[in-house]
């Protein structure tokens, strides 16, 4: 049977041979036993409804074993035998290139070189799922292969509800993930309802089919480290010889050492999972791996003395590194953390003093004790960071909920007012005022042909567009333009591609529209194949996240989620190929609402019309909200946008004199 035949088959009529559990694959940790006996029966009923009744007797004990062993029903038997990767778009069966492009992106999310736990359909973050089980994957691919241009596939937290009549300008797929009734959005609610098979945590770009490997965050991380370096610079000097200490080498966090190299510093990144460390080292995303703390101290001191640009993975717990560097008086210039603390009780963060294997066993067998160990570690972690910041280290929260969970653990992490944290979120200090408020965010594209030469051509096109824009850009955004041109010029030599031929580039709405238009014209001329546009949710408009993306909103509205909902609705009728909205993201289930999109460029006039309509809204929706919150940079940006687009009329705030308020 050919690849296309497998896709068209969907769920097979006859049961495939059971798959053995592959210990060489990086698997998701066992989830805790949270269902009652009756709820376990319900979970089994829910799983079996995907299959003909004649198979239930065989599948029931198999699914029951999976539920008892792993805490979830993944349906391993139905994992495809073909290799999982993003094929050139022409290799997919289908009636429309829009549907084929979505199949390409789904397979990229599950590529073994890209996904964190590919057999559990988890792309990154420990629990960021593309689907809940393999039956859902098979059904979705089948639906996409038979979809026409007047149908829309509705995705219900991983489950394909079905194809519905729509029209050519409608999204081909509408995705929701984890959209719970608010009172049912606690961490244990995710454990329960995900185990029942009725919802999932789509993270950000996992459940919306737009993950492009750690490159997706390298650019933002590079900008963050560069600007962090500018904040600590005494006399305009760069990061040469300076140390950036952080943790996490998984999906998103795996970008940190590569970004450190691009920014020009020494990076030490601790990771407890040996497979994650091995993956990043083999991919060239981290230069060296060290297992011994004394050796690490010696190596860092040598790198400092020689002002090396080097990235080092420490195989072990980050708390040990912070404490060792304090004891040995190794000065840390920049400090952060990017472990998955949105998921602290199920493998996102590991306690000090326990092995990786011991921790994985305890989180399932004794979750209460595991939680105690995690919170004890967070207190130690915060104490060690405090000792370093007292010496002059600049520490920032990387939006992974480190400060939030540390505060919940009772760590010494609060400011004197008892409300704010001691340390800023990187969005508050860096990304918010320097990028998001001006409309700059993680625009991305994928060359659907799969050809590296197409990616090189798009890099050159994007660079030329940005250089032309920069010539007439206002002074306020000259630094952002220069950083982004520097990034795209070095993209090829930095070997950022993992999986699909993809690129990320921070740009504002003008840049995104002009780059996309230039791509569409190149496609029309036959110079490159189709291009898939998207973005991270970690952007100007798509996400309402009070401890990350919208942490620099100070008018009291940062806990509202209107912007993300408006964003996905607006993208839907302005031409997106697919749209998504999620509960949960990088800071955790119940802590954020975020939306995303994908758009296929095919060289047509229709694509040109859609890209202008949708990309303008996708950015300026967020700038308008940020300007209403009285953010100076956003007020500047939205006024500039109104000058360009006469149909844009945004309500601007009137600024109150602080002296007047002080008199009351």
């Amino acid at each position: 049977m050919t690849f296309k035949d497998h896709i068209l088959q969907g769920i097979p009529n006859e049961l495939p041979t059971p798959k053995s559990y592959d210990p060489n694959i990086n698997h998701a940790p066992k989830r805790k036993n949270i269902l009652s006996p009756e709820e376990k029966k319900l979970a089994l009923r829910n799983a079996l409804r995907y299959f003909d009744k004649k198979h239930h007797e065989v599948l029931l004990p198999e699914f029951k074993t999976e539920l008892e062993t792993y805490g979830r029903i993944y349906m391993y038997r139905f994992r495809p035998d073909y290799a999982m990767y993003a094929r050139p778009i022409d290799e997919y069966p289908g009636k429309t290139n829009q549907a084929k492009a979505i199949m390409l992106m789904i397979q990229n999310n599950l590529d073994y070189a890209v996904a964190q736990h590919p057999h559990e359909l988890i792309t990154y973050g420990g629990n960021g799922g593309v689907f809940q089980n393999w039956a859902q994957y098979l059904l979705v691919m089948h639906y996409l292969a038979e979809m026409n241009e007047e149908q829309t596939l509705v995705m219900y937290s991983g489950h394909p509800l079905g194809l519905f009549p729509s029209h050519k300008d409608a999204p081909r797929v509408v995705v929701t993930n984890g959209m719970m009734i608010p009172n049912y959005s606690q961490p244990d609610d995710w454990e329960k309802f995900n185990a029942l098979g009725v919802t999932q945590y789509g993270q950000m770009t996992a459940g919306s089919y737009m993950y492009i490997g750690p490159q997706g965050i390298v650019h933002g991380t590079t900008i963050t480290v560069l600007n962090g370096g500018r904040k600590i610079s005494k006399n305009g000097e760069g990061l040469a010889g300076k140390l950036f200490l952080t943790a996490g080498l998984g999906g998103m966090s795996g970008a940190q050492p590569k970004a450190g190299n691009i920014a020009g510093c020494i990076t030490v990144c601790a990771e407890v999972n040996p497979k994650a460390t091995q993956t990043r080292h083999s991919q060239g995303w981290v230069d060296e791996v060290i297992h011994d703390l004394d050796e690490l101290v010696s190596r860092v001191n040598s790198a400092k003395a020689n002002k090396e640009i080097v990235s080092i993975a420490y195989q072990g717990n980050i708390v040990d590194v912070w404490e060792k560097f304090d004891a040995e008086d190794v000065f840390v210039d920049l400090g952060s953390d990017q472990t998955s603390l949105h998921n602290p009780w199920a493998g996102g963060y590991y306690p000090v003093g326990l092995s990786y294997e011991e921790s994985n066993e305890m989180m399932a067998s004794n979750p209460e004790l595991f939680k105690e160990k995690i919170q004890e570690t967070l207190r130690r972690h915060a104490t060690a960071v405090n000792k370093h910041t007292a010496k002059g280290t600049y520490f920032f929260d990387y939006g992974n909920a480190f400060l939030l969970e540390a505060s919940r653990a009772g760590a010494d992490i609060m400011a004197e007012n008892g409300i704010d944290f001691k340390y800023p979120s990187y969005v508050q200090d860096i990304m918010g005022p320097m990028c998001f408020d001006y409309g700059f965010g993680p625009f991305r594209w994928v060359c659907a042909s799969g050809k590296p030469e197409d990616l090189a051509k798009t890099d050159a096109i994007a660079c030329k567009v940005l250089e032309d824009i920069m010539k007439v850009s206002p002074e306020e955004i000259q630094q952002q333009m220069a950083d982004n041109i520097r990034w795209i010029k070095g993209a090829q030599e930095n070997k950022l591609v993992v999986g699909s031929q993809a690129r990320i580039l921070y740009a504002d709405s003008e840049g995104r529209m002009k780059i996309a238009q230039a791509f569409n014209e190149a496609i029309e001329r036959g110079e490159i194949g189709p291009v898939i546009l998207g973005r991270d949710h970690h952007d100007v408009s798509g996400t309402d996240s009070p401890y990350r993306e919208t942490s620099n909103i100070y008018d009291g509205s940062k806990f509202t989620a209107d912007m993300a909902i408006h964003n996905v609705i607006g993208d839907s009728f302005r031409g997106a190929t697919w749209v998504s909205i999620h509960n949960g993201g990088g800071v955790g289930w119940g802590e954020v609402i975020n939306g995303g999109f994908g758009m296929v460029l095919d060289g047509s006039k229709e694509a040109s019309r859609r890209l202008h309509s949708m990309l303008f809204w996708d950015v300026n929706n967020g700038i308008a909200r940020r300007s209403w919150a009285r953010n100076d940079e956003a007020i500047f940006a939205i006024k500039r946008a109104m000058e360009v687009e006469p149909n844009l009329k945004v309500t601007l705030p009137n600024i109150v004199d602080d002296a007047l308020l002080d008199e009351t």
Side-chain angles (χ1 to χ4, degrees):
M1 189 181 289
T2 67
F3 168 71
K4 288 185 177 180
D5 289 335
H6 277 291
I7 296 296
L8 290 166
Q9 173 184 237
I11 296 176
N13 291 324
E14 300 303 321
L15 294 180
T17 304
K19 301 288 192 303
S20 58
Y21 187 87
D22 186 350
N24 297 313
I25 295 294
N26 191 14
H27 287 283
K30 180 180 178 181
R31 308 303 183 186
K32 62 183 176 182
N33 184 6
I34 198 168
L35 299 182
S36 69
E38 284 303 310
E39 288 170 334
K40 289 178 180 178
K41 290 181 182 179
L42 180 57
L44 291 165
R45 287 192 187 95
N46 288 344
L48 290 170
R49 61 184 161 178
Y50 285 100
F51 307 97
D52 192 291
K53 192 174 182 180
K54 66 183 180 181
H55 298 311
H56 289 185
E57 188 173 350
V58 173
L59 294 176
L60 177 59
E62 190 173 307
F63 291 170
K64 183 179 180 183
T65 298
E66 287 187 14
L67 186 60
E68 291 173 349
T69 305
Y70 310 113
R72 297 292 187 273
I73 301 171
Y74 297 114
M75 307 180 186
Y76 289 122
R77 176 194 287 263
F78 295 93
R79 181 169 51 82
D81 291 320
Y82 52 74
M84 188 67 70
Y85 65 96
R87 291 159 171 78
I89 192 168
D90 291 340
E91 294 186 19
Y92 291 93
K95 301 174 183 177
T96 165
N97 271 348
Q98 291 187 333
K100 292 179 183 181
I102 299 168
M103 286 191 272
L104 183 160
M105 296 302 294
I106 287 172
Q107 291 202 310
N108 188 65
N109 268 24
L110 296 172
D111 185 329
Y112 285 22
V114 174
Q116 184 181 18
H117 305 306
H119 285 191
E120 289 77 37
L121 302 111
I122 291 172
T123 301
Y124 66 92
N127 57 0
V130 187
F131 304 105
Q132 297 175 56
N133 57 59
W134 285 104
Q136 292 177 346
Y137 166 84
L138 295 175
L139 263 181
V140 167
M141 298 297 278
H142 170 74
Y143 277 135
L144 290 170
E146 67 174 21
M147 167 190 289
N148 63 48
E149 291 186 341
E150 294 188 348
Q151 290 176 305
T152 293
L153 175 61
V154 178
M155 294 299 303
Y156 198 104
S157 286
H159 168 66
L161 201 61
L163 293 170
F164 289 79
S166 58
H167 54 83
K168 287 185 178 181
D169 284 338
R172 296 281 70 81
V173 180
V174 174
V175 180
T176 60
N177 280 301
M179 298 306 292
M180 306 297 292
I181 302 300
N183 283 347
Y184 299 88
S185 203
Q186 296 300 310
D188 272 356
D189 292 321
W190 172 75
E191 293 281 0
K192 176 181 177 179
F193 293 109
N194 187 230
L196 285 173
V198 295
T199 196
Q200 74 169 5
Y201 187 77
Q203 259 281 358
M204 301 174 87
T205 50
S208 60
Y209 324 142
M210 191 46 71
Y211 190 62
I212 58 170
Q215 178 188 178
I217 199 174
V218 172
H219 191 10
T221 306
T222 300
I223 290 172
T224 301
V225 176
L226 279 173
N227 285 311
R230 289 166 182 149
K231 290 183 75 69
I232 64 172
S233 177
K234 301 293 191 297
N235 300 297
E237 79 282 1
L239 282 163
K242 293 181 179 179
L243 174 61
F244 172 42
L245 175 59
T246 185
L249 282 173
M252 289 295 196
S253 57
Q256 295 178 106
K258 174 72 79 172
N261 282 4
I262 297 171
C265 63
I266 302 159
T267 305
V268 172
C269 192
E271 171 58 58
V272 297
N273 183 348
K275 288 180 179 175
T277 304
Q278 180 184 356
T279 296
R280 295 299 171 227
H281 187 236
S282 68
Q283 292 173 341
W285 287 70
V286 64
D287 299 324
E288 302 172 14
V289 179
I290 293 177
H291 295 77
D292 179 78
L293 283 169
D294 289 324
E295 182 184 348
L296 180 66
V297 169
S298 176
R299 180 70 184 92
V300 168
N301 284 333
S302 172
K304 277 175 167 279
N306 295 313
K307 292 191 174 182
E308 292 181 56
I309 298 173
V310 64
S311 55
I312 304 165
Y314 172 69
Q315 187 61 64
N317 198 293
I318 183 60
V319 178
D320 290 326
V321 181
W322 281 106
E323 291 177 344
K324 181 70 172 179
F325 281 7
D326 175 52
E328 299 292 335
D329 206 25
V330 176
F331 182 70
V332 177
D333 298 272
L334 296 174
S336 194
D337 186 271
Q338 209 176 125
T339 51
S340 298
L341 265 161
H342 70 276
N343 182 31
W345 325 124
Y349 182 87
Y350 281 77
V352 70
L354 291 178
S355 71
Y356 180 65
E357 293 75 18
E358 289 170 338
S359 296
N360 283 336
E361 170 62 28
M362 185 184 290
M363 73 176 69
S365 63
N366 195 342
E368 291 306 314
L369 179 59
F370 184 74
K371 182 175 181 178
E372 290 178 18
K373 295 286 186 183
I374 289 290
Q375 293 193 319
E376 177 186 332
T377 298
L378 282 166
R379 290 191 290 272
R380 275 180 62 177
H381 195 159
T383 297
V385 168
N386 290 341
K387 289 179 179 179
H388 281 271
T389 57
K391 299 176 184 179
T393 296
Y394 173 65
F395 183 88
F396 56 90
D397 185 289
Y398 217 140
N400 66 331
F402 170 69
L403 293 179
L404 180 63
E405 287 300 334
S407 70
R408 290 168 175 170
D412 180 14
I413 213 74
M414 303 306 295
E416 290 184 6
N417 63 13
I419 299 172
D420 300 315
F421 297 128
K422 279 186 179 182
Y423 307 112
S425 156
Y426 75 116
V427 173
Q428 289 176 294
D429 248 20
I430 299 170
M431 295 301 288
M434 294 180 172
C435 290
F436 294 165
D437 284 351
Y438 284 117
F440 286 86
F443 182 55
R444 56 178 63 179
W445 65 87
V446 177
C447 295
S449 67
K451 297 177 181 178
E453 56 266 35
D454 275 13
L455 184 60
K457 290 174 184 176
T458 58
D459 285 345
I461 291 170
C463 186
K464 176 66 166 58
V465 169
L466 291 187
E467 287 176 334
D468 288 344
I469 294 174
M470 187 176 177
K471 293 174 184 176
V472 294
S473 291
E475 181 181 350
E476 287 85 348
I477 61 171
Q478 283 287 312
Q479 183 66 66
Q480 290 88 331
M481 297 298 298
D483 284 348
N484 294 322
I485 291 169
R486 168 182 170 181
W487 163 266
I488 199 67
K489 283 185 173 180
Q492 295 285 328
E493 65 185 64
N494 286 315
K495 298 178 180 178
L496 298 163
V497 170
V498 177
S500 61
Q501 294 297 315
R503 184 67 71 227
I504 185 170
L505 173 64
Y506 269 55
D508 61 6
S509 62
E510 179 185 13
R512 297 183 208 202
M513 288 189 292
K514 288 183 175 179
I515 290 169
Q517 180 62 35
F519 288 169
N520 202 51
E521 291 170 0
I523 297 166
E524 184 184 17
R525 293 191 298 267
E527 296 171 5
I528 56 175
V531 172
I532 305 163
L533 303 181
R535 59 161 167 75
D536 193 347
H537 301 245
H538 179 247
D539 199 2
V540 182
S541 301
T543 298
D544 282 297
S545 180
Y547 296 106
R548 193 162 76 177
E549 283 82 358
T550 45
S551 60
N552 70 318
I553 300 291
Y554 301 111
D555 69 350
S557 72
K558 69 179 182 179
F559 293 99
T560 65
D562 302 77
M563 180 178 71
I565 302 301
H566 288 159
N567 183 261
V568 75
I569 293 172
D571 285 356
S572 296
F573 64 77
R574 286 180 171 88
T577 304
W578 73 96
V579 292
S580 63
I581 190 77
H582 306 323
N583 167 20
V587 295
W589 176 267
E591 304 284 0
V592 51
I593 300 295
N594 55 153
F597 76 87
M599 173 177 276
V600 177
L601 300 181
D602 58 8
S604 66
K605 292 180 180 179
E606 289 77 13
S608 177
R609 173 178 56 80
R610 290 170 182 164
L611 75 86
H612 284 93
S613 176
M614 202 217 73
L615 293 176
F616 185 85
W617 158 260
D618 191 68
V619 174
N620 283 291
N621 161 53
I623 299 176
R625 184 266 177 101
R626 292 167 183 276
S627 72
W628 185 241
R630 295 183 291 270
N631 292 12
D632 290 339
E633 297 85 358
I635 293 172
F636 166 83
I638 204 66
K639 285 181 177 178
R640 185 165 170 252
M642 285 191 282
E643 291 173 2
V644 172
E645 173 51 71
N647 283 333
L648 179 66
K649 306 290 182 184
V650 172
T651 308
L652 296 175
N654 293 295
I655 308 302
V656 179
D657 188 341
D658 287 342
L660 180 64
L661 289 174
D662 291 341
E663 294 173 3
T664 61

